Amino acid sequence: MSTVKIDNRIPKIQNKLFEQAHTNSLELKPVAIAMSKQGIKGEKLYSHPGMLPLPVPICEYLLSFNARQMTILSATFFANLYKYVANSEYQSLISNMSIAEKVFASYSDEFMILHQETNEEMDHIWSFRTVYSMVCREIGIQSSFNEPGFFYGSVGAIPQSDFDSFDTRFTFDEELNETLSNLQKGKSFLKNIVEQTQQQGSNFTYRTLRFMIGDAMRMLPAEKVQESGLGSLTLLYRYMANVELKKSEAYLFDSPEKFDYEPLAFELNQGHLTDEARHYTTSFDLGVELYRVAPPEAQDFIRYFMQLIVEDYISASFTTYLEKLDLTVQGIMLTDVRIGLNSLSMSLHHPELADKQVDINQLVHSWRQVSSKWRNIIGYIEQKSWQYKSQQLERLIKELGLELNTTKLGNRYERYKDALAIKEIQKVVEVA
């Protein structure tokens, strides 16, 4: 079997980082087990208040929560955030093994790096499910851990109808068979897949993407996976997921000197961040290296899909909370709003929030009625998040030479560029 050879600098760096990280065990399972045994105790926070995807500063109802109630709400958000992370990481289990098997020589450094990361992802998923189960137990509800993750199109804003029709189970239909057929025919037929997605909606595009970075690689011979550049596409798409997840995690326990954080939750967060920092490097460095050695047809193919992903991500990410609420009412789903509202709804089942029962729809309506001056305002944590995302996106855009559709993006593109230029984080700032 032919394999792809890349600059050995990358696996050398990754192996060194892996050895440094695993000199002492970094498994998250012991921390998750301890959290499960402990339950939701006391009045310590499971996240920075500014990370809650809820309009706490402008909502009297949320501001009326006492310390214990905020602990419960933040714990529920923590569990839901990592539920989303786990379901996103599940895709990597499939993708990592396929790239290792179909692109690199067996037991090569690159092969082993992807196997190592797969092992870490399994540890993460088990641990996050354990924490989620604990929170559900403490609240007194039963709730499925299964949900569409980042790779199910929640990279951007998606219609509620598309979200409702998502199925995390694999189904192979005529449309995916056509995609597979074009991949089997080789690089000259990649343009047919592009044309196919251009004629369909966003839901179809992301379903096709999910198939190509997962099951399609398992069904194709190695030479076709390499010829189509699927290894690069997968890793660069994974890089986008890394950016999204890292910007959520990195500020989850911001300003520890100002807040009394739950120690085990903090430890779980830091352990996961340590692993993901290496995964992030693998995604970008290995993805770009595979892009460079891909045939020109495959490079065009990769750029087409990565541009779609980046544009959708910018459109959704550089949107204020109140703008996101407007979209939600219009039937457009955004992940952070969904996680925030789900967390609030779940937490209300806890006996200690018996005095906080509320109609969520009416609450959302009241948020949308606040003064228009808040519509374009973002806070301290959100500024840091926008700055980080813009820097990481710029890195990818420059590396692939992407030419974004600035007309389609409108003021979201202006906000992205403004975020790149941020020199100092303010308490609040008005955006374009």
Side-chain angles (χ1 to χ4, degrees):
M1 182 188 88
S2 63
T3 58
V4 176
K5 291 182 172 57
I6 63 169
D7 186 343
N8 65 2
R9 172 187 61 86
I10 295 170
K12 280 183 177 179
I13 292 172
Q14 288 302 92
N15 280 332
K16 188 173 182 179
L17 291 172
F18 179 83
E19 289 172 4
Q20 289 174 349
H22 287 270
T23 300
N24 297 309
S25 177
L26 270 179
E27 270 206 335
L28 302 185
K29 291 188 188 76
V31 184
I33 291 169
M35 290 183 71
S36 180
K37 290 180 177 178
Q38 173 183 276
I40 305 174
K41 303 297 182 185
E43 298 181 351
K44 296 181 184 295
L45 291 173
Y46 285 71
S47 75
H48 187 287
M51 281 299 297
L52 284 171
L54 295 165
V56 177
I58 61 172
C59 177
E60 290 184 12
Y61 166 75
L62 293 172
L63 288 171
S64 73
F65 278 35
N66 62 37
R68 173 61 180 161
Q69 290 170 333
M70 282 303 296
T71 291
I72 295 166
L73 177 59
S74 66
T76 309
F77 164 63
F78 183 90
N80 275 293
L81 172 63
Y82 280 109
K83 173 184 175 180
Y84 175 71
V85 171
N87 278 273
S88 300
E89 289 184 335
Y90 187 81
Q91 177 67 53
S92 295
L93 301 183
I94 301 168
S95 301
N96 288 353
M97 301 300 281
S98 296
I99 298 171
E101 179 185 346
K102 299 296 177 75
V103 177
F104 298 115
S106 295
Y107 301 106
S108 63
D109 284 346
E110 298 88 349
F111 179 97
M112 291 308 302
I113 286 167
L114 291 168
H115 272 260
Q116 291 158 3
E117 293 187 0
T118 301
N119 183 54
E120 290 168 349
E121 302 290 28
M122 293 177 75
D123 171 51
H124 301 165
I125 293 167
W126 189 95
S127 301
F128 298 153
R129 178 184 173 276
T130 298
V131 172
Y132 186 79
S133 297
M134 176 275 288
V135 169
C136 290
R137 182 193 73 218
E138 293 285 297
I139 290 173
I141 64 170
Q142 291 185 338
S143 178
S144 171
F145 193 65
N146 193 37
E147 75 158 63
F150 185 85
F151 298 99
Y152 280 78
S154 58
V155 56
I158 55 176
Q160 177 74 50
S161 57
D162 284 358
F163 183 83
D164 292 340
S165 67
F166 283 151
D167 189 343
T168 56
R169 297 168 298 179
F170 173 65
T171 53
F172 189 63
D173 56 21
E174 186 176 335
E175 290 172 331
L176 292 185
N177 186 47
E178 184 179 347
T179 299
L180 182 65
S181 175
N182 283 317
L183 290 169
Q184 288 171 328
K185 291 173 184 175
K187 59 188 179 183
S188 299
F189 288 81
L190 294 176
K191 62 181 183 295
N192 292 359
I193 299 174
V194 170
E195 291 170 1
Q196 188 184 16
T197 58
Q198 288 172 336
Q199 295 166 7
Q200 304 280 353
S202 177
N203 191 6
F204 174 83
T205 297
Y206 281 102
R207 184 166 178 263
T208 301
L209 264 169
R210 194 168 70 254
F211 172 63
M212 291 194 297
I213 68 169
D215 292 287
M217 285 196 287
R218 296 198 289 195
M219 301 166 80
L220 289 166
E223 60 269 21
K224 295 302 179 184
V225 172
Q226 296 166 25
E227 186 180 329
S228 301
L230 293 183
S232 173
L233 176 62
T234 302
L235 288 166
L236 293 176
Y237 192 4
R238 196 183 88 167
Y239 171 77
M240 292 296 297
N242 294 144
V243 170
E244 169 64 10
L245 302 181
K246 191 174 179 182
K247 69 86 184 170
S248 299
E249 279 197 295
Y251 309 119
L252 201 60
F253 293 94
D254 197 74
S255 305
E257 72 283 358
K258 295 181 180 179
F259 300 98
D260 188 12
Y261 290 129
E262 208 297 307
L264 289 174
F266 178 79
E267 186 177 350
L268 191 82
N269 166 264
Q270 294 300 298
H272 187 250
L273 272 174
T274 300
D275 281 348
E276 289 303 316
R278 283 180 288 104
H279 299 186
Y280 162 93
T281 305
T282 299
S283 296
F284 188 84
D285 289 351
L286 212 54
V288 167
E289 194 67 21
L290 288 175
Y291 170 80
R292 288 172 178 163
V293 300
E297 297 90 340
Q299 290 184 346
D300 291 343
F301 184 68
I302 293 163
R303 278 199 305 273
Y304 169 77
F305 280 105
M306 289 311 302
Q307 179 159 329
L308 280 180
I309 294 166
V310 168
E311 287 177 351
D312 282 350
Y313 187 74
I314 288 175
S315 181
S317 294
F318 295 91
T319 304
T320 68
Y321 187 81
L322 291 178
E323 289 171 342
K324 290 175 181 178
L325 284 184
D326 290 341
L327 290 170
T328 300
V329 172
Q330 295 166 27
I332 305 296
M333 294 292 296
L334 291 107
T335 298
D336 50 355
V337 172
R338 177 173 60 84
I339 290 176
L341 294 177
N342 283 352
S343 299
L344 176 59
S345 180
M346 280 178 63
S347 67
L348 293 178
H349 287 87
H350 197 287
E352 293 184 61
L353 274 82
D355 64 330
K356 297 300 179 186
Q357 299 308 301
V358 69
D359 184 308
I360 299 291
N361 290 330
Q362 289 183 8
L363 191 62
V364 170
H365 178 74
S366 72
W367 293 340
R368 296 181 64 227
Q369 304 310 308
V370 300
S371 172
S372 59
K373 72 177 184 179
W374 289 103
R375 191 154 296 278
N376 289 357
I377 296 293
I378 62 172
Y380 171 80
I381 290 290
E382 203 163 10
Q383 287 174 65
K384 294 177 79 170
S385 173
W386 283 25
Q387 181 187 46
Y388 170 78
K389 287 185 290 188
S390 66
Q391 291 168 346
Q392 306 315 309
L393 290 175
E394 185 74 359
R395 186 184 183 200
L396 179 64
I397 290 166
K398 285 184 175 179
E399 190 64 53
L400 298 186
L402 302 181
E403 297 179 0
L404 302 184
N405 186 337
T406 57
T407 302
K408 182 179 79 171
L409 290 172
N411 72 334
R412 304 299 193 270
Y413 181 76
E414 297 305 317
R415 290 174 179 179
Y416 155 71
K417 298 301 287 186
D418 288 344
L420 267 178
I422 290 176
K423 300 296 183 186
E424 185 178 350
I425 304 297
Q426 308 291 327
K427 186 175 180 180
V428 294
V429 68
E430 186 173 3
V431 296

